[in-house]
Amino acid sequence: MTDTAVLAELMTLVAPAKVLTDPASLQAYGTDWTRHYPPAPSAVVLPRTLEQVQAIVRWANRHQVALVPSGGRTGLSGAAVAAHGEVVVAFDLMNQIIGFDAVDRSVVCQPGVITRQLQAFAEENGLYYPVDFASSGSSQVGGNIGTNAGGIKVIRYGMTRNWVAGLKVVTGTGELLELNKGLVKNATGYDLRQLFIGAEGTLGFVVEATLRLERAPRNLTAMVLGTPDFDSIMPVLHAFQGQLDLTAFEFFSDKGLAHILARGDVPAPFETPCPFYALLEFEALNDEVAEQALATFERCVEQGWVLDGVMSQSETQLRNLWKLREYLSETISHFTPYKNDISVTVAKVPAFLREIDAVVSQHYPDFEVVWYGHIGDGNLHLNILKPAHLDKAAFFARCATVNQWVFEIVERYQGSISAEHGVGMIKRDYLHYSRSPAEIACMKAIKAVFDPNGILNPGKIFAPDHQ
Ligand code: MLT
Ligand code: ZN
């Protein structure tokens, strides 16, 4: 725990009221959406300027205090959890959009800008910020960059990394680095900007980001298609990709749909019960595109890959179809799910899912398993729901045992143990299934360059060396 005199010094760096130590704030700021680890930070500090962030990092170096960065706390890997007396650096007060260039189609954001605020700003200016996910109403730009957030539009627009044109970061020594300065072309050696994207705040804290914007999509139209089995989803993807530029291709199982319908506020897509559902989206730029989509749907039905389907005819229908997929995470969160977020190359998805599903049904015959995810880019979310009678610790322990077999399959398929949720604390002991010892050694060496005293988010991605 950080002692009182040291915390008093911290208060001199920011306004005293911007250092919080009351139990409610420690509880709220010390955790993310995982709820695996009880939060136990020493304090929460809310800087307003990048100079204050530098001063906080230098203070932490002087007193060997560990810092945990905190954005919207919507993470699913424990990367923003402060469970060991750390000081949380929360970016809520650095929440302004401070620049916009219509010619470059770029926007300069402070790290605490909320994703939806950025999306709305882009829209007001006739443009579009395409990285989108269910938590966009709370997640912050700094956190999105720290986790290289993905979401539901990756198939068309890629991950957060694709949209970061420049970064200002404060490293673990308090140094300010200005990386790439918004340039499109810059062949001047190592692109350090890329190292900080997805680094989970272990190398530096993002204090400003220049993000690219895109032209706004026109007349987005969604289809939800029911398939007779999992194997039919991939030919459906190929059939549609052959005809249309998809902006999304998602899937969910009947169990997922049942949870959504049980809420009572989302209409069923159609009557026919199906074991799996695909949700795809495209820009219906003209009638010809919509006709092509319908013709492809009919071909899929003739082939027996699709049992039933629906296409949105209005904004409201589009939104309602998306709710079937977007509400899943929040809806099943009440069942304390054990979440896996795995990926392989798209071509390997069917064989991969079959193997994983066999292991899971063999070892969790008594648990409810809910599959959904971004299947168009090879990312599957495997959610095991906790039965009411099991306590949390016993449930997670059983899941952890089976993880080993799941991750052995991931390794064999050269996949990732964390496609988009990050490593944090939850996946760090499994990192070796996706990264070689040589790679992990390089990552640790890079960490030592930017954060020689191990101040920034220790214990995330890999265990600290002394453990
Ligand atoms: C999603 O795709 O809904 C998000 O990654 C969150 C989740 O997996 O629960
Ligand atoms: Zn996801």
Side-chain angles (χ1 to χ4, degrees), residues 192-467:
L192 299 181
R193 159 189 55 157
Q194 302 299 345
L195 285 177
F196 291 86
I197 304 170
E200 301 182 9
T202 61
L203 302 180
F205 291 167
V206 172
V207 287
E208 202 179 287
T210 303
L211 301 170
R212 292 200 179 92
L213 302 177
E214 178 59 314
R215 85 160 168 82
R218 292 178 211 123
N219 198 22
L220 283 175
T221 301
M223 287 176 115
V224 169
L225 310 175
T227 69
D229 46 39
F230 178 79
D231 281 354
S232 301
I233 296 180
M234 298 318 268
V236 172
L237 170 65
H238 297 148
F240 276 91
Q241 264 184 327
Q243 297 299 321
L244 305 168
D245 289 328
L246 297 176
T247 51
F249 192 93
E250 301 279 309
F251 91 113
F252 47 91
S253 66
D254 52 354
K255 293 208 171 66
L257 179 67
H259 282 286
I260 293 288
L261 298 182
R263 297 165 55 108
D265 60 348
V266 184
F270 40 76
E271 291 295 312
T272 317
C274 303
F276 287 97
Y277 298 84
L279 187 160
L280 59 93
E281 189 195 59
F282 55 93
E283 289 177 276
L285 294 174
N286 48 49
D287 289 349
E288 206 182 308
V289 176
E291 278 157 26
Q292 236 163 0
L294 284 173
T296 310
F297 163 70
E298 275 157 23
R299 199 148 47 80
C300 290
V301 173
E302 277 161 27
Q303 294 290 333
W305 300 327
V306 166
L307 298 175
D308 205 346
V310 59
M311 183 159 99
S312 65
Q313 304 295 332
S314 66
E315 274 279 329
T316 311
Q317 280 179 3
L318 174 73
R319 268 200 303 275
N320 279 339
L321 291 183
W322 266 114
K323 284 177 189 168
L324 297 167
R325 168 65 187 88
E326 287 236 87
Y327 283 5
L328 275 166
S329 186
E330 198 272 326
T331 306
I332 63 163
S333 68
H334 307 287
F335 298 86
T336 323
Y338 187 86
K339 301 175 87 71
N340 264 318
D341 163 42
I342 47 189
S343 68
V344 286
T345 54
V346 177
K348 292 179 187 164
V349 164
F352 175 69
L353 188 127
R354 249 194 313 278
E355 279 203 45
I356 302 264
D357 203 36
V359 163
V360 166
S361 12
Q362 183 190 341
H363 294 282
Y364 300 124
D366 48 338
F367 291 175
E368 183 180 345
V369 176
V370 179
W371 284 101
Y372 57 87
H374 321 285
I375 197 153
D377 59 50
N379 180 186
L380 310 171
H381 295 311
L382 164 65
N383 292 270
I384 322 282
L385 308 194
K386 187 180 86 55
H389 66 270
L390 259 191
D391 79 45
K392 211 160 114 175
F395 171 65
F396 285 144
R398 249 187 87 188
C399 294
T401 321
V402 178
N403 247 350
Q404 186 195 324
W405 295 300
V406 170
F407 290 154
E408 277 167 11
I409 300 171
V410 172
E411 186 177 33
R412 198 152 31 78
Y413 278 81
Q414 300 204 300
S416 175
I417 58 145
S418 180
E420 61 171 4
H421 293 170
V423 179
M425 288 196 277
I426 287 184
K427 297 286 152 57
R428 74 178 188 198
D429 294 341
Y430 307 105
L431 189 61
H432 61 95
Y433 287 102
S434 285
R435 298 299 199 107
S436 68
E439 269 185 292
I440 294 174
C442 287
M443 286 161 78
K444 288 186 173 173
I446 291 168
K447 164 86 174 159
V449 168
F450 290 105
D451 182 25
N453 296 322
I455 296 297
L456 304 185
N457 219 5
K460 313 298 166 46
I461 303 182
F462 21 70
D465 283 336
H466 56 81
Q467 273 196 358

